[in-house]
Amino acid sequence: MSTVCRAAAVLAAVTMSALALTACGPTGDDAAGGAGKPTTSPTKPTTPPKPTTPPTSPGKKPSGGSDGSSADPDHAVFPCSTFDVTFAANLAESTTSSYLLKITNKSAKACKVLGHPVVTFGDLDGQATERGAAPGIEDAIRLEPGQSAYAGLMGGTNDGTGRTVHSIAMTMNTESDLEQTPLTASTPSLYVSPARNSVTAWVNNAEDALSL
């Protein structure tokens, strides 16, 4: 083969190889990732933030109800009547025939003990006078079911001006015209004399009732 023919054959082979590379290989844009279709990741929807509730301090209760009513636990507590309590009288001092009066809340709800007990003596007219001041209704004793309150009933020495009685009757101060059934208690040797028998306001312990 002549030198010219040999050169022509080599040139033809080189040209065909170049064409094959151009047809099959990736373009420059594809290789760089620029000319193909862009690949995008799906975007998650954004969740709006939840409203926050101001923290409540431990042990703190709302100052009022949604209807504007008072949150005071005493708001619906009514005065105690004889329908709510049991009654007893125990001799505390024999020389003065003084008695300790005790009431106990027998109901299923709390009630307030107001003022002094109203004490009468057997079949005698009149009642024991009130001794000492009583707290106002806002400071009155609150009796939960089963709790007790006390008052001291002072008797007197037998000076011949009065009379011995063997029972007393008691009603509660309710600051209303509520009709009550008097509760009675036995009081052996209670001497009743004019202006000498007095009763303290209700207190929450027996010692105070007998020392006022």
Side-chain angles (χ1 to χ4, degrees):
M1 182 181 292
S2 66
T3 301
V4 175
C5 292
R6 192 179 298 116
V10 171
L11 180 59
V14 171
T15 301
M16 292 181 65
S17 296
L19 291 172
L21 289 172
T22 301
C24 299
T27 64
D29 289 340
D30 288 340
K37 293 183 179 179
T39 303
T40 57
S41 299
T43 303
K44 294 182 178 180
T46 303
T47 303
K50 294 181 179 180
T52 57
T53 302
T56 301
S57 300
K60 185 175 182 181
K61 295 182 179 180
S63 59
S66 59
D67 59 354
S69 61
S70 171
D72 182 356
D74 287 343
H75 180 67
V77 178
F78 294 95
C80 301
S81 75
T82 56
F83 300 108
D84 302 311
V85 300
T86 59
F87 173 59
N90 295 293
L91 182 63
E93 177 56 58
S94 58
T95 58
T96 59
S97 65
S98 297
Y99 281 79
L100 176 67
L101 310 183
K102 177 182 177 181
I103 56 170
T104 301
N105 184 357
K106 68 177 182 178
S107 72
K109 63 183 186 302
C111 63
K112 280 188 174 182
V113 182
L114 305 183
H116 298 69
V118 180
V119 178
T120 56
F121 306 99
D123 59 354
L124 299 181
D125 293 331
Q127 64 188 51
T129 60
E130 295 181 354
R131 187 168 80 257
I137 189 169
E138 292 183 356
D139 299 316
I141 298 171
R142 175 187 172 117
L143 280 192
E144 299 293 339
Q147 290 184 336
S148 300
Y150 306 86
L153 175 63
M154 303 298 114
T157 57
N158 190 341
D159 59 2
T161 63
R163 191 180 124 189
T164 299
V165 298
H166 301 289
S167 67
I168 59 174
M170 187 276 302
T171 56
M172 302 291 295
N173 178 2
T174 63
E175 294 191 353
S176 71
D177 57 358
L178 174 69
E179 185 175 349
Q180 301 178 68
T181 300
L183 301 177
T184 60
S186 175
T187 54
S189 304
L190 174 62
Y191 191 77
V192 180
S193 59
R196 290 191 180 181
N197 299 89
S198 60
V199 64
T200 69
W202 294 109
V203 293
N204 55 17
N205 66 83
E207 292 181 2
D208 287 347
L210 295 172
S211 61
L212 295 175

